[in-house]
């Protein structure tokens, strides 16, 4: 059970943040799909040991002839942009849903109404998940529309949907982590210190791990390693296992956040 008035207020207070992030994602998706029609058949080559060479490795960009649309989208979107931008949104949104409302005194006023802490916490969690789902659905729809318009012959819908499901589950998990921290942190500094510190470190480790060599071990100690677009695209069983783990971790984080909020001391 959620509070309808509260979730309406959440959308009213955060719609600019949601729409700005969504607009960036869908514009970037549309531009990349349109660009594929121009560069299709070209070959990506880099000079070994050069800056571009290492940059392509860090971003997990596959070299060779561009002949697969979904692979092109992994190289240009899902390996960096669609990891970083929604993560920034989740960090900001989760703070506004809990930490900011507690510090502003709004949460005390909300809890003075017949709404229980469980209901309020669940409502805030539902808003964060629904905003992520909204961004994903709109971006998918724009991507499909762009494919039908620019490159209908290259569209592989099943693989495209699998990639987006993997990306959503990753951010469902990351959003749950941010929500959990927002329910436990006592202020902006402690909240940002944990979320930005942990997720930022993991993200840098993820990029470094893509460089290979002795750095490749970093890929196994970061939560970003659970989302593997290449394996998702190929439909490997391991990818589905990791997607299930991300979903379960996300549920655990959101549930844990609500439980922490029920016991939180606002003083």
């Amino acid at each position: 059970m959620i509070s309808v008035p509260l979730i309406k207020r959440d959308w009213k207070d955060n719609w600019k943040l949601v729409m700005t992030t969504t607009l960036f994602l869908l514009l970037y998706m549309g531009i990349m799909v349109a660009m594929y029609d121009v560069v299709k058949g070209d070959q990506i080559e880099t000079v070994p040991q050069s800056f571009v060479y290492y940059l392509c490795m860090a971003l997990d960009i596959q070299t060779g002839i561009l002949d697969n649309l979904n692979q092109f989208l992994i190289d240009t979107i899902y390996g960096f942009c669609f990891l970083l931008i929604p993560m920034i949104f989740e960090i900001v949104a989760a703070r506004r849903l809990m930490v900011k409302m507690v510090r502003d005194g709004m949460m005390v006023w909300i809890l003075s109404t017949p709404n229980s802490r469980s209901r309020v916490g669940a409502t805030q969690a539902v808003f964060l998940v629904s905003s992520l789902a909204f961004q994903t659905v709109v971006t998918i729809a724009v991507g499909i529309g762009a494919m039908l318009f620019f490159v209908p012959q290259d569209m592989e819908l099943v693989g495209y949907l699998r990639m987006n499901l993997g990306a959503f589950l990753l951010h469902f998990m990351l959003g749950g982590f941010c929500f959990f921290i927002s329910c436990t942190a006592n202020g902006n500094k402690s909240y940002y210190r944990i979320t930005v510190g942990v997720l930022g470190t993991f993200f840098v480790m993820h990029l470094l791990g893509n460089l290979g060599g002795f750095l490749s071990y970093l890929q196994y100690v970061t939560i970003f390693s659970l989302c593997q677009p290449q394996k998702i695209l190929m439909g490997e069983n391991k990818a589905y296992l990791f997607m299930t783990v991300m979903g379960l971790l996300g549920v655990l984080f959101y549930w844990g956040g609500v439980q922490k909020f029920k016991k939180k001391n606002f003083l």
Side-chain angles (χ1 to χ4, degrees):
M1 184 69 70
I2 65 173
S3 170
V4 176
L6 178 57
I7 205 165
K8 287 182 177 179
R9 181 185 180 87
D10 288 337
W11 278 103
K12 181 180 179 181
D13 292 344
N14 296 282
W15 72 269
K16 291 182 179 180
L17 176 63
V18 175
M19 294 307 298
T20 299
T21 307
T22 305
L23 182 61
F24 180 88
L25 295 176
L26 64 88
L27 284 177
Y28 195 65
M29 172 66 77
I31 291 172
M32 289 300 104
V33 172
M35 184 178 294
Y36 179 74
D37 190 37
V38 178
V39 301
K40 180 175 61 175
D42 291 349
Q43 183 165 346
I44 297 179
E45 295 182 348
T46 59
V47 178
Q49 314 306 317
S50 66
F51 172 77
V52 176
Y53 171 80
Y54 288 114
L55 180 62
C56 288
M57 290 183 64
L59 299 181
D60 201 21
I61 295 177
Q62 304 296 309
T63 57
I65 298 176
L66 298 173
D67 58 0
N68 185 283
L69 174 58
N70 285 337
Q71 181 60 57
F72 175 75
L73 294 178
I74 290 176
D75 292 342
T76 58
I77 296 179
Y78 294 94
F80 182 78
C81 179
F82 274 31
L83 296 182
L84 181 61
I85 302 303
M87 182 178 72
I88 294 174
F89 165 79
E90 290 141 17
I91 292 174
V92 175
R95 184 197 72 86
R96 298 180 68 171
L97 290 172
M98 285 297 184
V99 177
K100 183 177 184 297
M101 294 186 72
V102 171
R103 288 178 59 85
D104 291 349
M106 182 60 66
M107 191 61 73
V108 175
W109 178 81
I110 292 173
L111 292 175
S112 67
T113 66
N115 293 304
S116 65
R117 287 200 178 202
S118 296
R119 190 177 187 184
V120 172
T123 300
Q124 303 302 76
V126 166
F127 169 78
L128 186 54
V129 174
S130 63
S131 62
L132 291 172
F134 172 78
Q135 292 173 7
T136 302
V137 171
V138 172
T139 304
I140 289 174
V142 169
I144 292 175
M147 291 176 192
L148 291 173
F149 184 81
F150 291 106
V151 285
Q153 71 281 2
D154 295 300
M155 183 170 67
E156 297 176 10
L157 185 59
V158 175
Y160 175 70
L161 293 177
R162 281 204 303 258
M163 293 190 313
N164 280 280
L165 176 59
F168 171 76
L169 289 173
L170 171 66
H171 290 294
F172 175 73
M173 176 182 66
L174 298 181
F177 171 76
C178 293
F179 180 77
F180 177 80
I181 300 302
S182 72
C183 291
T184 59
N186 293 320
N188 289 326
K189 289 184 178 180
S190 59
Y191 171 75
Y192 280 127
R193 188 180 300 119
I194 298 174
T195 54
V196 176
V198 172
L199 296 183
T201 300
F202 278 158
F203 186 70
V204 172
M205 291 171 63
H206 170 72
L207 297 181
L208 292 175
N210 289 335
L211 294 176
F214 71 94
L215 292 174
S216 62
Y217 294 104
L218 294 176
Q219 293 182 337
Y220 304 105
V221 294
T222 165
I223 55 178
F224 288 98
S225 62
L226 292 173
C227 183
Q228 302 182 359
Q230 300 284 355
K231 291 182 172 58
I232 292 174
L233 182 60
M234 293 184 289
E236 294 187 10
N237 292 332
K238 187 177 182 180
Y240 291 118
L241 174 61
F242 286 166
M243 289 166 69
T244 302
V245 171
M246 288 190 292
L248 292 175
L249 286 175
V251 171
L252 184 61
F253 280 134
Y254 283 110
W255 176 83
V258 174
Q259 299 309 306
K260 284 289 186 180
F261 179 70
K262 289 166 61 176
K263 302 175 183 178
K264 188 177 182 65
N265 185 355
F266 293 158
L267 299 179

